[in-house]
Amino acid sequence: MTVQKKRMSAARAIVECMKREETQHVFCVPGESYLPVLDALHDESTIQVISTRHEGGAAFMAEGYAKSTLKPGIVLATRGVGAANLSIGVHTAYQDSTPMIVLLGQVHSKFRGREGFQEVDLDQFFGPISKWAVEVRDPERMPEIIERAFRIAQSGRPGPVVISLPEDVLPMESDMVFRSTFTKPRPAPSQAEMTKMEEILSNAKRPLLIVGGGIKSSCAEKLVITFAEKFTLPVLVAFRRHDVFPHDHPLFIGHLGLGTSKHIEEAIAEADTIIALGTRLSEVTTKDYSLLKDHHTLIHIDINDETLGKVYSPNLGIVADGSETLRSFMGMRLPCHWEEWTLAKNAKYKKASQLDILDENVINSSVIHYMQKNLPQDALITNDAGNFAGWLHDYFKFNEPHTYVGPTSGAMGYGLPAAIGAKLAFPKKTVVTLAGDGGFMMTANELETAVRYHIPVIALVFNNNMYGTIRMHQEMHYPEKVIGTDLGEVSFQKLAESVGAKGYTVDSVDDFAVAFDEALKGNEVVVIEILTEKEQIAPHRTIEQIRENAKTR
């Protein structure tokens, strides 16, 4: 074990731990409660501080950055008010299994429990949506707790850690002890588990592989392709984990999530064996926990023991790292007599995801088609929450790793700040974010952050002047009784220009093509406002169709 001892303040010990873990960026809204940490960051040239317009934006940036780098995103804020603002990003990191470390200034220790200025019991506040929430009361324990935070955030199922920092503790000096930096544990299946896996698959007639975020966090994208090819397994990706398996591969049969296609439901119903690898089989992935049935033999493999059996009791549950699992199972001997079935499912996927551009198509379809033709293969796309994403998910082909970042939590306001974080992680990649007008306005202030730090992202805003997803559900349950979902007029072009970004407004595919081409050639923050129809609420449904269907139920 490598041990170093240095005398310094608790605040400087935090930054020293960050440096030892090779942290390059932190995100924050500055606050007086943690000024000693900001001062220590000022003196550390290897770490860039990104000061944002809102703590929610800072947390989303850290989350998008962490999803891209696979290292903890670090976000700082002040006391209860800043903590409450960034809690949406913590919840997103928790549901999305994203490593994050949240450092929050806290009131003076002498004032704790007196409802001091902006006081909140932060460890209690964040306990249900974090892997660990703790308050540091002794300065000499700061390295121990920060080192533990890096370990917890990245070990097992990744997630957020929240650390409360009383303002009187931060400037205190002590003899600090720094120990070894984090090395990620990678447990492998046991011999008995490998034998059982081979036995189950040897008797399978139509096995199906569902892969999730655990593939990305274990860097197993190439291995899962080799594994699927060796055993001719049809592959589905979990909700908003699009880039863990190439969509142009002959074994790919689609993505699970909102509005699951009929051909996917059919494939799962026909399958007799489900291999779920690196996915928690969430509500959205499993269509309200309805897709897996009693006739399925379930092999569930995940790094987190609590994931196994949480919803579905597996016939074989294995706690293991994705990469190690795939390497271990590569030596299996299987009959693999399901090739014809697998290829038939791929053919149905190709038919369902084929985007034919016709004159009567809405502009959303044409935008996705143009993006597919003109973006570099390694371009990275983020999306906000909303129905506009249906066109992206149904028709865009993600064929390379690290080309997609989206919120499985469904958080609005996510897309733009996540794109900023992703661009910092991959500065040479083209990064494009898609959002609706409702979600974009929730964090549009971060355009100025992107401009100020010269982080060139391209934002596409699909503007139909309403909260479209909620309007859709209103029409499903209370047809024609519209309330609260209409939004006012906003010129996103002028909004962009007002903070120093470049702005366009388009209502045709020809105008979009001109604006998008210019954005790709440039090196600046760009917003392209796309005027869309209210009526075409989803790729395959109109408001009128939804309304009439609701009336006849």
Side-chain angles (χ1 to χ4, degrees):
M1 181 185 296
T2 304
V3 178
Q4 291 184 356
K5 295 182 180 181
K6 298 180 181 179
R7 186 164 186 83
M8 61 179 64
S9 69
R12 293 196 175 274
I14 293 171
V15 177
E16 178 67 19
C17 288
M18 290 184 193
K19 183 179 179 181
R20 287 165 58 84
E21 294 288 347
E22 299 181 348
T23 300
Q24 295 180 327
H25 298 90
V26 300
F27 305 87
C28 75
V29 170
E32 66 271 23
S33 62
Y34 70 94
L35 284 176
V37 181
L38 287 173
D39 184 64
L41 285 166
H42 177 277
D43 296 338
E44 180 48 64
S45 61
T46 64
I47 301 174
Q48 183 183 22
V49 176
I50 304 294
S51 178
T52 70
R53 286 290 184 158
H54 190 275
E55 292 90 350
F60 282 148
M61 285 181 206
E63 205 275 351
Y65 178 82
K67 268 201 182 92
S68 302
T69 61
L70 307 181
K71 295 169 61 177
I74 298 179
V75 59
L76 301 91
T78 190
R79 303 193 189 108
V81 290
N85 278 346
L86 64 71
S87 62
I88 186 173
V90 178
H91 178 259
T92 298
Y94 187 71
Q95 287 219 323
D96 285 41
S97 305
T98 305
M100 179 185 285
I101 295 174
V102 184
L103 300 170
L104 299 171
Q106 179 60 289
V107 302
H108 196 290
S109 298
K110 289 183 179 179
F111 305 153
R112 293 285 278 115
R114 296 177 171 179
E115 199 178 342
F117 181 59
Q118 299 181 344
E119 181 181 2
V120 169
D121 285 334
L122 296 172
D123 48 346
Q124 296 294 313
F125 185 92
F126 284 100
I129 57 169
S130 65
K131 288 189 71 178
W132 184 42
V134 63
E135 184 163 301
V136 184
R137 295 183 174 89
D138 302 308
E140 64 269 19
R141 292 194 63 192
M142 191 65 77
E144 168 203 336
I145 289 173
I146 300 296
E147 287 169 358
R148 186 177 174 190
F150 273 95
R151 177 170 295 279
I152 290 174
Q154 298 173 87
S155 297
R157 177 186 171 186
V161 171
V162 180
I163 303 175
S164 172
L165 305 168
E167 61 184 44
D168 55 307
V169 172
L170 291 174
M172 291 183 185
E173 289 199 355
S174 185
D175 292 325
M176 304 294 182
V177 179
F178 299 91
R179 303 185 186 277
S180 300
T181 55
F182 173 74
T183 301
K184 189 172 183 175
R186 295 191 179 276
S190 68
Q191 185 60 53
E193 288 165 337
M194 288 190 285
T195 301
K196 183 66 174 176
M197 173 85 160
E198 189 169 18
E199 177 187 323
I200 291 173
L201 289 178
S202 293
N203 294 314
K205 293 182 174 61
R206 291 178 299 278
L208 189 152
L209 176 62
I210 301 174
V211 290
I215 296 299
K216 180 180 282 192
S217 62
S218 64
C219 302
E221 290 93 342
K222 290 183 179 179
L223 279 170
V224 78
I225 295 171
T226 304
F227 178 75
E229 288 175 345
K230 180 165 185 178
F231 301 112
T232 327
L233 292 167
V235 180
L236 287 168
V237 294
F239 178 53
R240 288 186 173 163
R241 304 300 192 186
H242 294 277
D243 59 346
V244 299
F245 197 87
H247 294 194
D248 61 354
H249 195 284
L251 297 176
F252 184 69
I253 66 169
H255 74 275
L256 293 159
L258 300 168
T260 304
S261 299
K262 286 185 179 180
H263 78 276
I264 292 175
E265 293 186 23
E266 289 174 2
I268 293 177
E270 292 171 12
D272 60 354
T273 304
I274 304 291
I275 309 166
L277 177 55
T279 171
R280 60 187 175 91
L281 296 174
S282 69
E283 175 190 351
V284 181
T285 291
T286 61
K287 195 180 178 184
D288 299 337
Y289 307 114
S290 68
L291 289 182
L292 272 64
K293 307 292 186 182
D294 290 342
H295 75 271
H296 288 126
T297 299
L298 175 62
I299 301 167
H300 198 174
I301 306 155
D302 198 84
I303 192 74
N304 178 32
D305 65 312
E306 293 183 4
T307 296
L308 306 181
K310 193 170 188 178
V311 178
Y312 296 103
S313 182
N315 299 84
L316 174 61
I318 302 174
V319 179
D321 170 77
S323 291
E324 294 302 318
T325 295
L326 292 166
R327 289 191 185 95
S328 297
F329 291 144
M330 217 67 81
M332 290 189 300
R333 295 179 180 275
L334 300 177
C336 300
H337 43 62
W338 46 75
E339 181 177 6
E340 184 177 343
W341 180 74
T342 297
L343 297 179
K345 297 303 144 188
N346 174 256
K348 288 195 172 184
Y349 159 72
K350 286 180 178 177
K351 183 178 180 181
S353 62
Q354 179 65 38
L355 183 55
D356 297 317
I357 298 302
L358 306 171
D359 291 341
E360 61 267 26
N361 283 142
V362 294
I363 193 171
N364 307 56
S365 300
S366 299
V367 166
I368 300 303
H369 183 260
Y370 197 83
M371 288 172 58
Q372 188 81 70
K373 286 200 308 179
N374 292 279
L375 278 174
Q377 274 287 307
D378 69 342
L380 189 148
I381 296 174
T382 77
N383 67 257
D384 213 287
N387 274 14
F388 68 89
W391 281 270
L392 176 74
H393 293 163
D394 283 357
Y395 299 120
F396 195 89
K397 305 295 190 297
F398 294 89
N399 297 324
E400 299 285 339
H402 292 289
T403 53
Y404 176 76
V405 168
T408 72
S409 72
M412 294 182 73
Y414 177 87
L416 174 63
I420 294 170
K423 183 66 175 179
L424 287 168
F426 295 115
K428 293 183 180 180
K429 283 193 175 191
T430 299
V431 176
V432 181
T433 184
L434 283 67
D437 53 309
F440 189 77
M441 280 294 286
M442 291 188 177
T443 49
N445 46 8
E446 303 305 345
L447 279 173
E448 190 279 329
T449 304
V451 170
R452 182 166 21 105
Y453 288 101
H454 309 291
I455 306 169
V457 297
I458 301 170
L460 309 185
V461 183
F462 294 84
N463 186 3
N464 59 6
N465 299 118
M466 65 178 178
Y467 290 121
T469 303
I470 310 307
R471 171 68 184 279
M472 178 182 73
H473 286 285
Q474 279 182 337
E475 296 287 3
M476 285 179 180
H477 301 287
Y478 307 99
E480 296 182 340
K481 296 180 71 175
V482 179
I483 182 172
T485 51
D486 286 327
L487 296 173
E489 297 288 338
V490 176
S491 171
F492 290 97
Q493 177 180 351
K494 291 180 180 177
L495 176 63
E497 292 169 350
S498 73
V499 297
K502 199 160 187 174
Y504 302 87
T505 300
V506 303
D507 61 3
S508 71
V509 66
D510 290 338
D511 289 345
F512 173 78
V514 171
F516 196 64
D517 288 349
E518 289 183 8
L520 290 176
K521 292 174 185 174
N523 190 35
E524 55 192 322
V525 181
V526 176
V527 175
I528 304 176
E529 177 186 11
I530 303 162
L531 303 180
T532 64
E533 301 175 13
K534 285 179 181 283
E535 181 62 22
Q536 190 68 50
I537 195 66
H540 308 292
R541 289 185 289 180
T542 65
I543 289 177
E544 181 64 26
Q545 289 168 340
I546 292 169
R547 184 187 299 133
E548 290 306 312
N549 184 60
K551 287 179 180 179
T552 56
R553 279 207 306 256

